[in-house]
Structure formats: structure tokens, C-alpha cells
Amino acid sequence: MLLITKEILFALFCVSCVLFVFSPIQKPQVDAIGGNKFISFNHILLFLLVGLLVFAAVVKPPTMADYNSYFRLFQGVDQNERMEPAFGIIVKLLNIVDGNNYYLMFIVFALISIPLRVFLYNKFSPLIWGTIIVYLSNYYILHDLIQIRAAVASALLILLVYFSYKRKLGLFIITYLVSLSFHYSSIVFIVIWFISTTNNPRKYFLFLLFSYLLYFAQYSMSSLISYIPISSISSLLSGYAGRESYENNVFNLIQIVRIALAFFFFYNLNSKQNVYPWYVCFLKVYIVGLCFLPLFSSLSGVALRMMELFVSCEPIVIPIGFLISFKNKTFCKVAVLAYAALFFYIYYNAPNYWEIDWMNF
């Protein structure tokens, strides 16, 4: 199974890179979120991509991280383990259909998160295949193959940013509650509504600087978790402290690259803000996500989970950021390819994602 999933992923990444090199820049269809009446060749390719990604997510190897946990939850072995409302309902219904076929769980979650994510990518990204290769390089592996509940929440993040930009409070609240029903960590998505839509980067970079100053002062915001009014969520987040003894490296290569690019994109944003007026919202969400790593440094699991959820918008942030920054589109495509290749190399070869001991299965 490991070879099947990794071979499919590697092949799709390579093909998507080729398509990205030769594909033109398309006009985002943000205001036509409901869909396009015409089916193009590009849509057919995206449909095939989604089908193969869903298949790879279902036949993933049992040695992958979190695989055993989901198997045990489906079988009802871990009665004390948390089950968010949406996850619990889906698992109960699937057990009625076939209580021995836990692959149904992977099928359902893959069919929710992957098509929704690719559909929204196609709506927002003028470089759809650039967005796809950034997605395949890390977040497909991290979320759709491993953290399948977080995968649904991170897909809904794109809608939350859109509804916040449009100031559609009702739709924002509904989407927010749905994301919360799939993963409690998405409670932090509420801050998206309060992110301004204007290009005022200074205070966001000051916030990022402030988060690192707090880290150097050895002050963590983790004490705020106790004030969360929903006990099941606060206990979940606090529980990470007891399970994990390591401390995140807040200056790791991935974090530094992302911070540097966020600065670079904001610096070049003014000239193209009228072309992609909603992009500043995604970039600010991205920066807020980068702040979580130092702010909650004493709770490594909490910091990583919240950071990963917010930064999951990077398949939109990265390609458009380079498109805005480079007048020469060849330079833009080279930069996106280099970024995706770097992260694909890291995540594709990360043994802690692919080769977890599964002796208890």
C-alpha cells in the first residue's frame, strides 16, 4: 500500500508540475463561487486528479501516522478518545452500513475534503496548477492522508476567509460551526472574522515580531486555553501538554521560509491589490498562523495544530504571492516550482509521517 500511495502522489506531483509550466494564467472566479456552467479540459484534468487523490488517500499504508488511531476509533476500541460531533455521526452511520469495513471512513472523509478543496482552489487561484503542486507538496500529505478531521476543517478555512472578506456573517457562522464539528482546534478560526480587508501590513508584522519577543521572554499564551468556555475543547488543547515533552523549534527552516515569503509578498502587494483584493485576507490569515508557533511554544501540539490549520491556505497564498511579486511570469513559475519541490522533498521523505510503528493494529 505504501508504494501505491507514494507512487500515485509522486506521479501526480510531476504531472501537475508539467501542467503548471505550460498552463496560462486564468481569471479567478471568486464572485461566481457557485460554479461554472462550462466544462473545460482543465476541469476534466482536475476531476481525474481528485479521483486519484481520493483513491490514494483510501489505500494509504497502515504505517502512516494516525492510521491506528482512526482504526481504533472506528472499531470503538478507544471509548475515552474524543470524537467531534460530525466525526462521531459519520462513524456511527458507517458502522451501521458495515462495521468491519473501516475503509469507508477514509472514503467519506476524502470525498468531503479533497473535492471541496480543489473546487475552491480553482475558484480563487489564477495559477491553479501552481496551487495544486503546493497543496500536494505538504498539506495533502499532512491533512488528507494523516489528519483527516483537520483536513475538512482546513478546507472550510478557505470559505471562512471568503465569507469574512464579503462580510457575510450568517454564512461565516454556519461554516465556522461545521468546521468546529469536525475538529475542535478550529475554534481559533473565529479570529478570521476580525481580520481587516485593507492592506495594512505593519500591525501584522508587529504582531509577528511581538510573538517572538514573548517567546524570548519565556512567556507563553497557553494559559489562555483555560478560559475557553467549552470544557471539551479546553481539555483537548490542554491535553497536548501532558502527551508531548518536546519543544517546537520556532526557527526551523520551514517557518523561516514562510516568514520571509510573507514579508516579501506584503512588500509587493500594493501594486496588485486591485487585481486580487481578497488576497490580503488570505495573506493576513497566513501571518496570524505563523504567530501561533512562538505564542504557544509551551504547548507544542497546540502550537503546531493551530499553525497548520491557518497556514493551510498557503496553496493560495504562495502562487499568487509570486505572481504579484514578479513581472516576469517565468520567474514566478520557477519560484513556485522551487517552493513546492522543497516542501515536497521534506514531507515526501519524512519518516515520522509514513513509517509509524503499527504493531498494535
Side-chain angles (χ1 to χ4, degrees):
M1 292 296 189
L2 175 61
L3 290 178
I4 293 176
T5 299
K6 295 197 80 171
E7 285 179 355
I8 291 174
L9 177 58
F10 183 79
L12 290 177
F13 181 78
C14 293
V15 171
S16 298
C17 286
V18 174
L19 291 171
F20 173 55
V21 170
F22 294 102
S23 63
I25 298 172
Q26 66 182 26
K27 183 179 179 181
Q29 302 170 358
V30 176
D31 293 323
I33 201 74
N36 194 319
K37 296 180 181 179
F38 302 101
I39 298 177
S40 66
F41 180 67
N42 206 47
H43 290 143
I44 296 174
L45 291 177
L46 290 173
F47 180 81
L48 293 174
L49 172 79
V50 167
L52 289 171
L53 289 178
V54 169
F55 175 74
V58 173
V59 300
K60 61 189 175 185
T63 55
M64 290 204 75
D66 286 5
Y67 195 109
N68 188 31
S69 296
Y70 282 112
F71 169 78
R72 293 169 68 85
L73 283 172
F74 185 84
Q75 296 292 335
V77 176
D78 290 334
Q79 296 293 336
N80 296 324
E81 187 71 19
R82 84 179 193 278
M83 292 180 69
E84 287 90 346
F87 180 78
I89 292 172
I90 291 173
V91 168
K92 288 179 181 179
L93 291 175
L94 293 178
N95 268 283
I96 294 174
V97 175
D98 187 348
N100 295 318
N101 189 0
Y102 63 93
Y103 285 103
L104 290 174
M105 175 177 56
F106 296 139
I107 293 173
V108 169
F109 275 86
L111 286 175
I112 295 173
S113 64
I114 297 174
L116 174 62
R117 196 188 304 271
V118 173
F119 171 80
L120 293 173
Y121 287 161
N122 192 45
K123 290 295 178 183
F124 284 93
S125 179
L127 296 169
I128 178 58
W129 291 105
T131 292
I132 292 298
I133 63 173
V134 174
Y135 162 56
L136 294 180
S137 70
N138 59 83
Y139 271 95
Y140 173 72
I141 299 171
L142 181 62
H143 280 174
D144 290 299
L145 292 183
I146 299 175
Q147 302 168 5
I148 61 175
R149 287 175 290 186
V152 179
S154 63
L156 292 172
L157 169 73
I158 305 171
L159 278 178
L160 286 171
V161 176
Y162 172 75
F163 292 143
S164 176
Y165 165 70
K166 289 291 187 179
R167 308 313 291 168
K168 295 183 177 182
L169 180 59
L171 291 174
F172 181 91
I173 292 174
I174 293 172
T175 307
Y176 175 72
L177 292 176
V178 173
S179 69
L180 194 60
S181 72
F182 276 95
H183 206 287
Y184 286 147
S185 295
S186 61
I187 189 174
V188 293
F189 285 172
I190 193 65
V191 304
I192 295 173
W193 182 257
F194 303 99
I195 293 177
S196 66
T197 59
T198 57
N199 184 16
N200 51 347
R202 181 176 300 176
K203 65 180 180 181
Y204 284 86
F205 287 120
L206 287 176
F207 182 43
L208 185 57
L209 176 62
F210 180 67
S211 67
Y212 273 91
L213 290 176
L214 287 178
Y215 171 78
F216 285 122
Q218 297 184 337
Y219 179 82
S220 175
M221 302 290 287
S222 56
S223 58
L224 297 177
I225 291 174
S226 61
Y227 293 100
I228 296 177
I230 306 175
S231 59
S232 58
I233 297 178
S234 60
S235 61
L236 162 66
L237 297 178
S238 299
Y240 282 110
R243 295 201 301 264
E244 300 176 6
S245 58
Y246 68 90
E247 181 177 340
N248 292 318
N249 176 10
V250 300
F251 296 101
N252 64 77
L253 174 63
I254 293 176
Q255 178 81 348
I256 295 302
V257 169
R258 285 170 168 164
I259 291 175
L261 288 178
F263 273 94
F264 181 63
F265 295 156
F266 250 130
Y267 178 79
N268 293 284
L269 186 59
N270 285 326
S271 61
K272 295 291 183 68
Q273 189 171 353
N274 292 332
V275 180
Y276 309 111
W278 40 266
Y279 175 70
V280 67
C281 296
F282 282 101
L283 189 51
K284 287 177 179 178
V285 168
Y286 190 75
I287 294 172
V288 170
L290 295 174
C291 296
F292 285 129
L293 202 61
L295 279 178
F296 293 89
S297 57
S298 64
L299 293 177
S300 302
V302 173
L304 278 174
R305 182 54 56 87
M306 292 194 298
M307 184 271 291
E308 289 165 356
L309 283 172
F310 269 69
V311 179
S312 66
C313 64
E314 74 171 10
I316 293 175
V317 170
I318 298 301
I320 298 178
F322 282 125
L323 182 62
I324 288 172
S325 302
F326 293 117
K327 293 182 179 179
N328 189 315
K329 303 314 174 196
T330 300
F331 291 162
C332 165
K333 291 191 174 186
V334 169
V336 175
L337 284 169
Y339 182 90
L342 170 64
F343 278 68
F344 186 75
Y345 176 81
I346 294 172
Y347 282 77
Y348 188 80
N349 294 290
N352 57 316
Y353 291 151
W354 298 92
E355 300 172 8
I356 300 297
D357 181 17
W358 212 53
M359 292 179 63
N360 293 323
F361 175 60

